[in-house]
Amino acid sequence: IKCPVPLFTASSYSFILSISEEEARVKALNEYLSTRSYIQGFTFSHADVEVFRKFSGPPVDQYIHVVRWYRHIEAIYDGSSEKNEPCKLQTSKGKRVQPPWSPPEGTKHSRLCLYNSLTRNKEVFQPQNGKKVLWYCCGPTVYDASHMGHARSYISFDILRRILRDYFKYDIFYCMNITDIDDKIIKRARQNYLFERYRENKSTPDQLLEDVKTASELFSVKLNETTDPDKKQMLERIQNAVKSAFDPLQEAVQAKLPAEEINRCHEILLEEAKDLLSDWLDTKFGSQVIDNSIFSKLPKFWEGEFHKDMEALNVSKQTVFCSEYVPEIVDFVKKIVDNGYGYVSNGSVYFDTMKFDSSEKHSYAKLVPEAVGDQKALQEGEGDLSISADRLSEKHSPNDFALWKSSKPGEPSWDSPWGKGRPGWHIECSAMAGCILGESMDIHGGGFDLRFPHHDNELAQSEAYFENDHWVRYFLHTGHLTIAGCKMSKSLKNFITIKDALKKHTARQLRLAFLMHSWKDTLDYSNNTMESAIQYEKFMNEFFLNVKDILRAPTDVTGQFQKWENQEAELNKNFYDKKAAIHEALCDNIDTRSVLEEMRSLVSQSNSYIAAKKSSRQMPNRLLLENISSYLSQMLKIFGAIESDDAIGFPVGGNSQNINIESTVMPYLQVLSEFREGVRQIAREKKVTEVLQLSDALRDDILPELGVRFEDHEGLPTVVKLVDKDTLLKEREEKKKIEEEKKRKKEEAARKKQQQEAAKLAKMKIPPHEMFKSEHDKYSMFDENGFPTHDTEGKELSKGQIKKLKKLYETQEKLYKEYLQMVQNGSAN
């Protein structure tokens, strides 16, 4: 063992050893050791041993340095007197060793739980293969514009996917179909094709009137057969619109008005009668439409629009098209039949629900068992073209559903072992998901209204194909969307497309509205809902802008690292408490509603801290606020509410910018702000009001047009913020409205006051003896002072009446005297 320099040398220990009295020797040794580092490892010199041997026993505690030195020597000295072994180590049990160590108990870790529709409970989420998650989501049926009902599902699932991927760090493989083979699509594509041909043929006004008349008869039958009140209301509105357009054209033709006027009426009727004529044309010529390309044109267009809508909503991409899987669908159906769960009937293939449900390892309708037998729901699932009497008679049981439909004239078709046909509605999801994700997936998602029959039928046919009972481990269903408390419906005129919604609100505001509600519960899309989202966005944005302003304040490197006082420690504790609460909320079925409230609370605490610091003219702790704002920004990025890579806050200038506008322009704005503040200071001192007015105009009128907000605070530097231009202009308009309303109220109050004063003055001008004489409807006789004595019937007034009137008379006497005094003083006007 290599020994370091010993504590004692000959010159030092000889003095200590020369002291005979032990207490004095110990005292001198303690003074000596206080100037030395006496813990130098497990070593000692011969001098140490000599001094140590002089001790009759352990030293008393008051000599702390000697006590510690003595314990070290005692621990390693083995009593040897050999001079050539000054560093010999003790090997007995007394050798000093590290004490035992045990890990802290810690706290219980929360695990992610998700509401699973298969159990109707929150279940701990446990993927089948480590952190890898196989996820399938039902996409839209593309035959019309995507609406807010679609947004409810796809924004919600995008939020869930982002949180599982970016917060919980799961490796997600996300698969979604787009249905472009469906009864609705076939019928709409056929009708659009036939109507466009009719338009191109350019029928004469007389021919159009005749055709609309004929089509109206068919339409009236359809209207009378409709029992759904919302649908009936919509059809009645179409019928009324057609009649309103029919009569003017008929009158124009009969009156032989100019061709220009007739053509105008012709175009109006053609447009209003589009739905009515399309139905009629489809009934007459629909079976003649056999070109498959006609049926692909419509969904291709709306599929493209859907992608644009999803991009505008900042929904992450991942789609696969079902029509690419027709060969796989055929094979999928074939295997279900081979496994004994399907049967062929008149060229169609149906799923045998009774055979499947009677199997020990299978169960039909896992999601909504109580809905089995609901023929209305089952027929809606099969589609309008598949519920004719001959189609329904092909089934062994009313609960059976189509896996493959034989194509009728006027429908697209593909070759199959059972003849020309097309896929059933449910089978395309199963075939595509099974082909890509295999025999079992971790998560399947979709809208609440798809649970039965769509998802229950998906489950049944897939488990029949794979012969298992776990095709889906966790089934997630997003809640309904209502419009101001009502079901969204064209008949109620509250049908809102995604494009319409984005004209009123930004994608971030829509996403925040969804985040402020549970993903599995009904969300009401209303003015109140959106106003809450807008205010939340504004609240968070103001905090981010304030923190950025604090971070921009000039300071040297060391000035960035400030001493923490109680305020900082308290805020930091709150910060960590909120992070823990946010984690708990996310583990609890991705409760973003609670998360946003915790984030709001953290911002409120931070705002209070900033305000307290500023009021005491102290600089808030930069690093602490930077940590808090960075964390909040990161959470909003995870939720998809921030699309940029900025460390703090919402992006400025849009997401398509290649440069960071804020970092580019802010130095110039800061210089402008400081220059303006200097000018204002001089203007105040010199009392140059015109310059102050120009400074205010720069702040209130010019800079908002450029997306810049200057906030002046008495005794503090101006706060500079980059804000969306439209937001600033809207704020300016609202401020202007508030000021105008204040002005209006002030003027109204002044006018009322003036009226009251005028009325009071007019009343004061009346002499007491004249005040009752004009009331002929009450009194008939008066005394010499003009005081009433009898009522209109000639009866003498009672003592009680006289008493009341006397009080009024005396009050008027005082007012009149006051008026005469005002006249005398010249202030009666």
Side-chain angles (χ1 to χ4, degrees):
I1 299 172
K2 186 178 180 180
C3 300
V5 178
L7 284 172
F8 289 99
T9 62
S11 61
S12 59
Y13 84 80
S14 60
F15 167 71
I16 301 295
L17 290 172
S18 68
I19 302 173
S20 58
E21 203 270 311
E22 184 167 350
E23 186 175 351
R25 186 168 63 247
V26 172
K27 187 176 180 182
L29 176 61
N30 193 67
E31 290 178 2
Y32 177 81
L33 290 173
S34 68
T35 64
R36 299 288 187 273
S37 173
Y38 49 85
I39 304 176
Q40 293 194 40
F42 297 89
T43 183
F44 51 88
S45 68
H46 181 69
D48 291 308
V49 175
E50 288 299 314
V51 175
F52 178 77
R53 283 175 174 172
K54 286 284 186 181
F55 278 83
S56 59
V60 294
D61 289 345
Q62 75 180 85
Y63 301 111
I64 182 65
H65 299 291
V66 175
V67 169
R68 297 173 79 172
W69 168 84
Y70 183 91
R71 288 174 180 171
H72 277 282
I73 302 298
E74 184 181 42
I76 58 179
Y77 175 55
D78 64 357
S80 172
S81 59
E82 296 293 330
K83 292 185 179 180
N84 61 346
E85 294 183 287
C87 294
K88 187 174 179 182
L89 298 181
Q90 181 176 325
T91 58
S92 68
K93 289 184 179 178
K95 179 181 177 182
R96 185 166 287 227
V97 294
Q98 285 182 302
W101 179 88
S102 58
E105 290 184 11
T107 55
K108 185 180 177 182
H109 291 286
S110 296
R111 298 184 65 186
L112 171 62
C113 293
L114 296 174
Y115 184 87
N116 187 359
S117 296
L118 287 165
T119 63
R120 300 186 187 179
N121 279 306
K122 294 176 188 177
E123 307 290 353
V124 173
F125 181 60
Q126 180 62 59
Q128 300 172 106
N129 184 18
K131 296 290 283 186
K132 185 177 181 181
V133 175
L134 301 178
W135 191 333
Y136 178 79
C137 185
C138 283
T141 301
V142 283
Y143 67 97
D144 207 338
S146 300
H147 51 70
M148 284 303 293
H150 294 123
R152 169 59 170 145
S153 186
Y154 301 125
I155 291 178
S156 296
F157 279 124
D158 187 58
I159 290 167
L160 294 180
R161 175 163 47 128
R162 287 171 180 267
I163 291 171
L164 262 68
R165 182 190 67 199
D166 300 333
Y167 184 84
F168 290 105
K169 304 302 180 184
Y170 286 106
D171 181 10
I172 295 175
F173 182 77
Y174 192 85
C175 177
M176 187 177 81
N177 79 313
I178 287 186
T179 301
D180 56 2
I181 306 170
D182 176 83
D183 285 26
K184 293 187 186 76
I185 293 172
I186 293 167
K187 191 172 181 179
R188 180 69 62 84
R190 209 163 59 193
Q191 289 181 347
N192 285 359
Y193 170 74
L194 292 170
F195 182 77
E196 287 307 314
R197 273 184 51 187
Y198 182 85
R199 185 193 287 275
E200 289 167 5
N201 288 336
K202 296 184 178 178
S203 59
T204 63
D206 286 325
Q207 185 62 53
L208 177 61
L209 289 167
E210 186 62 32
D211 290 343
V212 169
K213 215 172 182 180
T214 306
S216 294
E217 294 173 4
L218 182 69
F219 192 83
S220 294
V221 172
K222 180 180 177 181
L223 176 60
N224 292 332
E225 291 175 349
T226 300
T227 56
D228 182 273
D230 287 343
K231 190 174 181 181
K232 196 176 188 75
Q233 187 180 355
M234 181 182 69
L235 295 177
E236 286 172 346
R237 195 167 70 247
I238 292 172
Q239 188 181 55
N240 292 334
V242 171
K243 190 175 188 310
S244 297
F246 183 91
D247 293 343
L249 177 59
Q250 189 178 50
E251 291 167 6
V253 171
Q254 290 172 350
K256 296 181 181 180
L257 295 179
E260 185 179 337
E261 179 60 20
I262 291 175
N263 287 339
R264 188 185 69 80
C265 294
H266 182 281
E267 282 303 310
I268 292 172
L269 177 58
L270 189 62
E271 193 57 39
E272 292 292 348
K274 180 180 177 180
D275 290 337
L276 184 143
L277 286 169
S278 295
D279 266 349
W280 171 66
L281 291 168
D282 190 45
T283 305
K284 282 188 71 176
F285 308 110
S287 60
Q288 299 173 20
V289 181
I290 55 174
D291 184 356
N292 273 12
S293 65
I294 292 170
F295 301 103
S296 63
K297 181 181 176 183
L298 176 77
K300 277 182 180 176
F301 171 78
W302 287 116
E303 177 253 312
E305 293 301 301
F306 172 77
H307 286 311
K308 291 176 186 175
D309 288 341
M310 293 302 103
E311 185 176 355
L313 291 172
N314 193 33
V315 171
S316 307
K317 294 178 182 177
Q318 188 61 273
T319 33
V320 183
F321 311 126
C322 79
S323 59
E324 298 172 2
Y325 282 81
V326 172
E328 288 83 359
I329 289 172
V330 172
D331 292 341
F332 204 92
V333 173
K334 191 173 184 301
K335 187 175 178 184
I336 293 174
V337 174
D338 292 344
N339 287 348
Y341 301 110
Y343 58 89
V344 182
S345 179
N346 199 25
S348 295
V349 182
Y350 293 94
F351 187 83
D352 193 332
T353 53
M354 292 181 67
K355 181 77 176 290
F356 178 80
D357 198 47
S358 62
S359 170
E360 287 186 6
K361 57 185 173 183
H362 295 307
S363 180
Y364 179 61
K366 287 182 175 181
L367 292 166
V368 196
E370 62 271 24
V372 173
D374 183 345
Q375 292 304 306
K376 183 181 177 184
L378 287 165
Q379 289 181 18
E380 284 178 2
E382 290 293 80
D384 289 346
L385 303 179
S386 307
I387 56 173
S388 58
D390 57 326
R391 285 282 200 197
L392 295 175
S393 66
E394 294 172 356
K395 299 180 180 184
H396 290 177
S397 164
N399 294 329
D400 295 348
F401 56 89
L403 299 171
W404 183 265
K405 301 177 182 180
S406 62
S407 291
K408 294 179 179 180
E411 297 178 2
S413 62
W414 287 264
D415 292 327
S416 79
W418 317 286
K420 290 277 190 180
R422 57 189 177 88
W425 177 32
H426 319 294
I427 197 67
E428 53 203 13
C429 292
S430 295
M432 190 191 77
C435 180
I436 295 172
L437 302 180
E439 67 175 16
S440 184
M441 69 183 75
D442 296 292
I443 298 176
H444 190 315
F448 184 83
D449 55 332
L450 294 177
R451 293 180 311 151
F452 184 89
H454 182 52
H455 288 156
D456 267 326
N457 288 352
E458 262 192 82
L459 278 168
Q461 64 199 11
S462 299
E463 292 179 355
Y465 176 88
F466 289 110
E467 282 288 13
N468 67 22
D469 63 349
H470 52 265
W471 186 58
V472 175
R473 298 293 188 175
Y474 298 82
F475 231 122
L476 311 184
H477 288 101
T478 54
H480 286 301
L481 179 128
T482 56
I483 306 294
C486 300
K487 176 185 174 184
M488 186 168 67
S489 168
K490 287 183 178 178
S491 63
L492 298 176
K493 295 185 180 181
N494 65 356
F495 188 85
I496 301 172
T497 66
I498 290 173
K499 285 183 173 60
D500 289 338
L502 286 171
K503 289 175 184 175
K504 291 183 67 178
H505 303 105
T506 66
R508 182 187 301 130
Q509 289 163 354
L510 290 173
R511 187 169 289 252
L512 287 171
F514 283 46
L515 284 162
M516 294 171 80
H517 294 76
S518 168
W519 60 268
K520 75 176 191 65
D521 297 331
T522 297
L523 185 151
D524 187 45
Y525 178 73
S526 63
N527 290 335
N528 288 341
T529 298
M530 292 313 303
E531 184 58 30
S532 296
I534 292 167
Q535 291 305 317
Y536 190 92
E537 178 190 40
K538 185 177 180 180
F539 178 73
M540 296 299 291
N541 192 41
E542 285 302 313
F543 171 68
F544 291 138
L545 292 173
N546 287 330
V547 172
K548 287 179 181 179
D549 181 70
I550 290 168
L551 296 179
R552 281 194 300 269
T555 182
D556 56 23
V557 174
T558 56
Q560 297 178 22
F561 305 97
Q562 300 154 281
K563 180 184 176 183
W564 279 29
E565 304 291 351
N566 289 338
Q567 287 174 299
E568 284 74 27
E570 183 182 355
L571 180 58
N572 190 60
K573 181 183 180 300
N574 290 335
F575 176 30
Y576 277 85
D577 287 345
K578 292 301 176 188
K579 284 205 287 187
I582 285 169
H583 179 72
E584 289 294 319
L586 289 176
C587 286
D588 184 16
N589 197 37
I590 318 292
D591 181 7
T592 56
R593 183 172 180 269
S594 295
V595 168
L596 262 62
E597 283 307 310
E598 295 292 352
M599 290 170 64
R600 187 202 300 271
S601 176
L602 177 57
V603 170
S604 294
Q605 291 167 353
S606 301
N607 285 339
S608 298
Y609 164 76
I610 293 170
K613 283 289 183 180
K614 287 190 173 181
S615 66
S616 59
R617 295 294 188 268
Q618 292 178 309
M619 188 67 180
N621 189 287
R622 298 158 64 100
L623 288 179
L624 178 55
L625 290 174
E626 186 175 12
N627 287 340
I628 292 171
S629 56
S630 295
Y631 167 76
L632 292 170
S633 299
Q634 183 58 31
M635 293 306 298
L636 289 169
K637 285 176 187 176
I638 288 172
F639 299 155
I642 292 180
E643 308 84 30
S644 72
D645 295 327
D646 295 357
I648 295 175
F650 300 124
V652 178
N655 305 322
S656 60
Q657 301 292 332
N658 295 321
I659 58 171
N660 187 320
I661 291 181
E662 191 164 13
S663 63
T664 303
V665 305
M666 194 53 77
Y668 300 97
L669 292 174
Q670 206 69 45
V671 170
L672 175 63
S673 171
E674 291 167 6
F675 175 76
R676 172 177 171 271
E677 186 56 37
V679 170
R680 289 174 74 221
Q681 184 64 33
I682 296 170
R684 280 195 291 264
E685 291 171 359
K686 304 290 185 182
K687 297 182 180 179
V688 186
T689 55
E690 293 84 357
V691 173
L692 291 172
Q693 289 169 356
L694 282 173
S695 296
D696 289 347
L698 175 68
R699 178 194 63 202
D700 299 334
D701 301 327
I702 299 170
L703 290 178
E705 294 284 351
L706 302 172
V708 179
R709 184 199 289 155
F710 276 11
E711 293 179 358
D712 294 327
H713 299 280
E714 190 65 36
L716 294 170
T718 298
V719 176
V720 183
K721 296 178 180 178
L722 282 182
V723 186
D724 178 65
K725 175 185 171 182
D726 292 337
T727 301
L728 285 180
L729 295 181
K730 187 178 178 182
E731 284 179 2
R732 188 172 71 182
E733 286 303 310
E734 287 174 354
K735 185 179 177 182
K736 189 176 177 182
K737 285 179 182 177
I738 291 170
E739 288 174 352
E740 287 176 351
E741 181 65 15
K742 280 184 181 178
K743 184 181 178 182
R744 188 191 66 77
K745 286 182 177 179
K746 190 176 180 181
E747 290 174 350
E748 179 69 16
R751 186 180 61 79
K752 283 184 178 179
K753 186 179 179 182
Q754 191 176 12
Q755 287 176 344
Q756 289 170 354
E757 288 176 350
K760 182 181 177 182
L761 184 63
K763 188 177 179 182
M764 290 171 73
K765 288 180 179 180
I766 301 172
H769 63 273
E770 295 289 339
M771 66 179 292
F772 294 116
K773 287 184 178 179
S774 61
E775 298 180 7
H776 299 295
D777 57 331
K778 293 181 180 179
Y779 314 110
S780 60
M781 294 178 67
F782 305 87
D783 64 14
E784 65 278 6
N785 296 320
F787 193 87
T789 57
H790 294 74
D791 63 16
T792 51
E793 295 179 359
K795 292 180 181 179
E796 193 174 342
L797 297 179
S798 66
K799 290 182 179 180
Q801 288 175 308
I802 291 172
K803 188 177 180 181
K804 287 180 183 178
L805 292 174
K806 196 169 184 181
K807 284 183 179 179
L808 294 174
Y809 190 89
E810 289 171 352
T811 301
Q812 187 61 28
E813 273 186 323
K814 290 179 183 177
L815 286 173
Y816 188 67
K817 284 179 182 177
E818 188 179 336
Y819 168 70
L820 294 176
Q821 187 65 44
M822 289 167 64
V823 171
Q824 190 175 346
N825 296 335
S827 59
N829 294 322

